[in-house]
Amino acid sequence: MKITQMSVFIENTKGRLFDLCSILGKNNINIKALTLAESHEFGIVRLVVDKAEDAVEIARKNGFIASLAHIVAIEVSDDPGGLAEVLKVLSENDLNIEYMYGFVEKASDKALMVFKFEDIDKALEVLCKNKIPVISKETLNFSKN
Amino acid sequence: MIFNEKFETMKLEDLKNLQSERLRALAKYVYERSPVYKKRIDESGYCLSDIKTIDDITKLPFTTKDDMRDYYPFGLFSMDSSKVAEFHVSSGTTGNPVVSGYSKDDVDLWGEAAARSIGAAGGKAGDIIQVAYGYGLFTGGLGLHYGALKFGCPIMPMSSGQTKRQIKLMSDFKPRILACTPSFAMYMGEEAHSLGFKPENISWEIGIFGAEPWTTAMQNEIDRSLGMLATDIYGLSEITGPGVAQECHLRQGLHIWSDVFYPEIIDPKTDLPVKEGELGELVITTLTRTGMPLLRYRTRDLVSINNEVCACGRTAPRISKIQGRTDDMIVIRGINVFPTQIEYALLQVEESLPNYQIIVDRADKGLDTIEVQVEIDQKFFSDEIKGIEAVKQKIKKSIEQTILVGVNVKLVEPKTIARSEGKAKRVIDNRKI
Ligand SMILES: [Zn+2]
C-alpha cells in the first residue's frame, strides 16, 4: 500500500523548519516521520503525517512550496541484518531506491522504514511476493497514541 | 484609437517643419527667460539665428540631471515660480532631488500626451481606467489621471498599494484599463490568483505599465497570467510624466510624440548621434513646454529608435523599450550587465518566476561575484534534490549565456524577494568601490 508523503522546499534558514512544524502542529497535523535532505543552499523536508493532503494545503497557504509523493513504509525486523535482508530482495529485483529514512516511532517491536522507489508499483509487487510486510495508512494512524 | 489624428498621423515632411518652427521658438523663449540657458547659448559659439531647422538642434547645449540638482529648486525654470501650476519631484540617489515646474499649459500638454498614450494602448472614451500608480510628487498617478480626464475615461484614482482593495474594486467596477508599474501588475496578478480569480474573472483588457524597465518576456508573462494586453509607457518627470512615449497595440516600439518631445539618440561617451536602430542614450528636447522647458535633456536611458511609419498609421517615431540605464549598468569584471538581461534569461526557463534580485559582491581577492536569487515556482517543485539542482543549473546556464559572466544562482522560497508596491529593487551592490 502506498502512503502519501509531504515534501517541502526550505531555504537553509534555521527558523524555517521550526516554522513549518509549528504551523502543522497548530493545525493538528501529526508528524509520524521526518527527514531533511540538504544541499548546501536549500533543503527538502519530507514528512509522513496523518493528513498529508490537508498538510500540503496548509503549508502552501503559509507560503511554503510543498508537494505530495508516494512512498512505501516497510517493517524491518529490529535485529542485526534486518535491513540488509530487505535491501537484498530489492536489489535482486532491480528496484531503485531514490531515498529512505526511518520512522520516529514504532508500531511494534519492529523498525519502520520509509522507501521512495523509482517504480512504486513494481516495488509493491516484489515486496508482496517476498512476503515483506508493507504498512498501511490505517496502521500508521492507529499507532498515534 | 487615435486621440489626436492631426498630430499623431501628420506627414513626416509637415512634422519636420513643425518641429523646426517649434525649435526656433523654443530657443528664443529660453534665451529670453532663462539666465542659465542664455549663458550656455552665448558660450556655445552659436547664435539664435543659427537655429533654422530641427537638424540644427545639435548646436544647442545639453542639459543633464546634475544641472537639475545644481540649479535646485527653481534655477532652470523659464517662468517665475509664482506662475507655475504644479511642481513634480523625483528622488535622486545623491544630493538634491530633481524638480520640474509645470505651467498650466504644461499640465495641459501632459494630459494631451497621456491621452494619446491611452488611445495608442487601445483605449477609447468611456473605458474605465484604474490608476494604480502613486499619486503625488511622483508623476505616474496624475499623468494617467490627466490623460484619462482629457480622453473621457472614467477614473478610479486608486494610487498604489492596497492590493486587496484594488482587486475588490476591479471585480466590482470592471475597469477595462489598468495603469501601474509592471511589477505591481504582476504582484496584483499573484494576489488575484491566490484570492481565486481566474484570468477570465479579471476585467482588465489593457495594461499601461511603466516607470521601471521591463522586458518583452515579462510583458508576455503578464499577458498570459492576467489575460490582457500589456503595453509599455515611458515618461520622466523632467520632461513630462508618463506619456512621453507609448506602445501602440502592435507593440513594435513606443511612439514618442516627437511634435512636442523631440528625441535624439546619442553615444553617451562621444555625445555624437548613433545610427538609426543602434543603441544609445535618449536625449529629449521639450519643444513646447513653458514652465521648465529643457534643451537636449540627457535621460540616461538606453534605447534605439525606428523612424519608419508604423502600421497603426502613427508617424511618430518609435523607441525601443529601455535596454538599460547609462548609470545603473553593473560592470562585472569589465563586462556591462543590465538587470533586464537577467530578467530575459529567467523568462527563457519555464521553471523560474521573473522575480529576482541580483547581489553583487567583491570577494577577498578582489573578484566580483554575482548571486542571482530566484523564486522557485510551486509547479516545478520536485521532491528530489537532484531535480531542484537541475532547475538551478538550467537557470544558471540561461543567465550565463545571456550576460557572459559566471553567476551563482540561489533558489529561494516564493514571495521572499521583497516586492515593493512601487518600483522593484533588483540590484544590491555590496562592493565598496
Ligand atoms: Zn504604432
PDB file of all heavy atoms in Angstrom, chain B residues 248 250 255 310-314 318, ligand 1:
ATOM      1  N   CYS B 248       1.870  51.324 -29.209  1.00  0.00           N
ATOM      2  CA  CYS B 248       0.526  51.149 -29.740  1.00  0.00           C
ATOM      3  C   CYS B 248       0.189  49.657 -29.579  1.00  0.00           C
ATOM      4  O   CYS B 248       1.030  48.877 -29.142  1.00  0.00           O
ATOM      5  CB  CYS B 248       0.426  51.593 -31.192  1.00  0.00           C
ATOM      6  SG  CYS B 248       1.401  50.594 -32.331  1.00  0.00           S
ATOM      7  N   LEU B 250       0.196  47.369 -31.525  1.00  0.00           N
ATOM      8  CA  LEU B 250       1.059  46.462 -32.295  1.00  0.00           C
ATOM      9  C   LEU B 250       2.353  46.132 -31.546  1.00  0.00           C
ATOM     10  O   LEU B 250       3.041  45.161 -31.876  1.00  0.00           O
ATOM     11  CB  LEU B 250       1.392  47.074 -33.661  1.00  0.00           C
ATOM     12  CG  LEU B 250       0.178  47.354 -34.547  1.00  0.00           C
ATOM     13  CD1 LEU B 250       0.580  48.162 -35.771  1.00  0.00           C
ATOM     14  CD2 LEU B 250      -0.475  46.037 -34.972  1.00  0.00           C
ATOM     15  N   HIS B 255       5.803  54.764 -29.455  1.00  0.00           N
ATOM     16  CA  HIS B 255       5.703  56.010 -30.219  1.00  0.00           C
ATOM     17  C   HIS B 255       6.072  57.169 -29.315  1.00  0.00           C
ATOM     18  O   HIS B 255       5.445  57.375 -28.276  1.00  0.00           O
ATOM     19  CB  HIS B 255       4.262  56.208 -30.715  1.00  0.00           C
ATOM     20  CG  HIS B 255       3.887  55.283 -31.832  1.00  0.00           C
ATOM     21  ND1 HIS B 255       4.370  55.443 -33.104  1.00  0.00           N
ATOM     22  CD2 HIS B 255       3.084  54.194 -31.873  1.00  0.00           C
ATOM     23  CE1 HIS B 255       3.872  54.490 -33.891  1.00  0.00           C
ATOM     24  NE2 HIS B 255       3.086  53.694 -33.155  1.00  0.00           N
ATOM     25  N   CYS B 310       4.639  53.592 -38.654  1.00  0.00           N
ATOM     26  CA  CYS B 310       4.103  52.336 -38.086  1.00  0.00           C
ATOM     27  C   CYS B 310       2.839  51.903 -38.831  1.00  0.00           C
ATOM     28  O   CYS B 310       2.088  52.727 -39.362  1.00  0.00           O
ATOM     29  CB  CYS B 310       3.782  52.584 -36.619  1.00  0.00           C
ATOM     30  SG  CYS B 310       3.133  51.166 -35.725  1.00  0.00           S
ATOM     31  N   ALA B 311       2.593  50.606 -38.804  1.00  0.00           N
ATOM     32  CA  ALA B 311       1.401  50.058 -39.459  1.00  0.00           C
ATOM     33  C   ALA B 311       0.103  50.582 -38.837  1.00  0.00           C
ATOM     34  O   ALA B 311      -0.960  50.537 -39.456  1.00  0.00           O
ATOM     35  CB  ALA B 311       1.432  48.537 -39.392  1.00  0.00           C
ATOM     36  N   CYS B 312       0.192  51.122 -37.626  1.00  0.00           N
ATOM     37  CA  CYS B 312      -1.010  51.664 -36.980  1.00  0.00           C
ATOM     38  C   CYS B 312      -1.403  53.016 -37.562  1.00  0.00           C
ATOM     39  O   CYS B 312      -2.459  53.538 -37.244  1.00  0.00           O
ATOM     40  CB  CYS B 312      -0.801  51.787 -35.471  1.00  0.00           C
ATOM     41  SG  CYS B 312       0.302  53.138 -35.004  1.00  0.00           S
ATOM     42  N   GLY B 313      -0.530  53.597 -38.401  1.00  0.00           N
ATOM     43  CA  GLY B 313      -0.838  54.881 -39.030  1.00  0.00           C
ATOM     44  C   GLY B 313      -0.148  56.072 -38.377  1.00  0.00           C
ATOM     45  O   GLY B 313      -0.121  57.162 -38.929  1.00  0.00           O
ATOM     46  N   ARG B 314       0.391  55.837 -37.169  1.00  0.00           N
ATOM     47  CA  ARG B 314       1.050  56.950 -36.485  1.00  0.00           C
ATOM     48  C   ARG B 314       2.424  57.198 -37.107  1.00  0.00           C
ATOM     49  O   ARG B 314       3.159  56.250 -37.387  1.00  0.00           O
ATOM     50  CB  ARG B 314       1.190  56.647 -34.988  1.00  0.00           C
ATOM     51  CG  ARG B 314      -0.149  56.634 -34.255  1.00  0.00           C
ATOM     52  CD  ARG B 314       0.016  56.279 -32.779  1.00  0.00           C
ATOM     53  NE  ARG B 314      -1.287  56.281 -32.109  1.00  0.00           N
ATOM     54  CZ  ARG B 314      -2.130  55.247 -32.111  1.00  0.00           C
ATOM     55  NH1 ARG B 314      -1.801  54.130 -32.723  1.00  0.00           N
ATOM     56  NH2 ARG B 314      -3.297  55.340 -31.499  1.00  0.00           N
ATOM     57  N   ARG B 318       9.406  55.452 -33.266  1.00  0.00           N
ATOM     58  CA  ARG B 318       9.264  54.517 -32.155  1.00  0.00           C
ATOM     59  C   ARG B 318      10.606  54.245 -31.501  1.00  0.00           C
ATOM     60  O   ARG B 318      11.583  53.925 -32.183  1.00  0.00           O
ATOM     61  CB  ARG B 318       8.668  53.202 -32.656  1.00  0.00           C
ATOM     62  CG  ARG B 318       7.171  53.268 -32.883  1.00  0.00           C
ATOM     63  CD  ARG B 318       6.685  52.118 -33.724  1.00  0.00           C
ATOM     64  NE  ARG B 318       7.095  52.266 -35.113  1.00  0.00           N
ATOM     65  CZ  ARG B 318       7.090  51.270 -35.994  1.00  0.00           C
ATOM     66  NH1 ARG B 318       6.720  50.069 -35.630  1.00  0.00           N
ATOM     67  NH2 ARG B 318       7.463  51.488 -37.236  1.00  0.00           N
TER      68      ARG B 318
HETATM   69 ZN    ZN C   1       2.021  52.087 -33.970  1.00  0.00          ZN
END
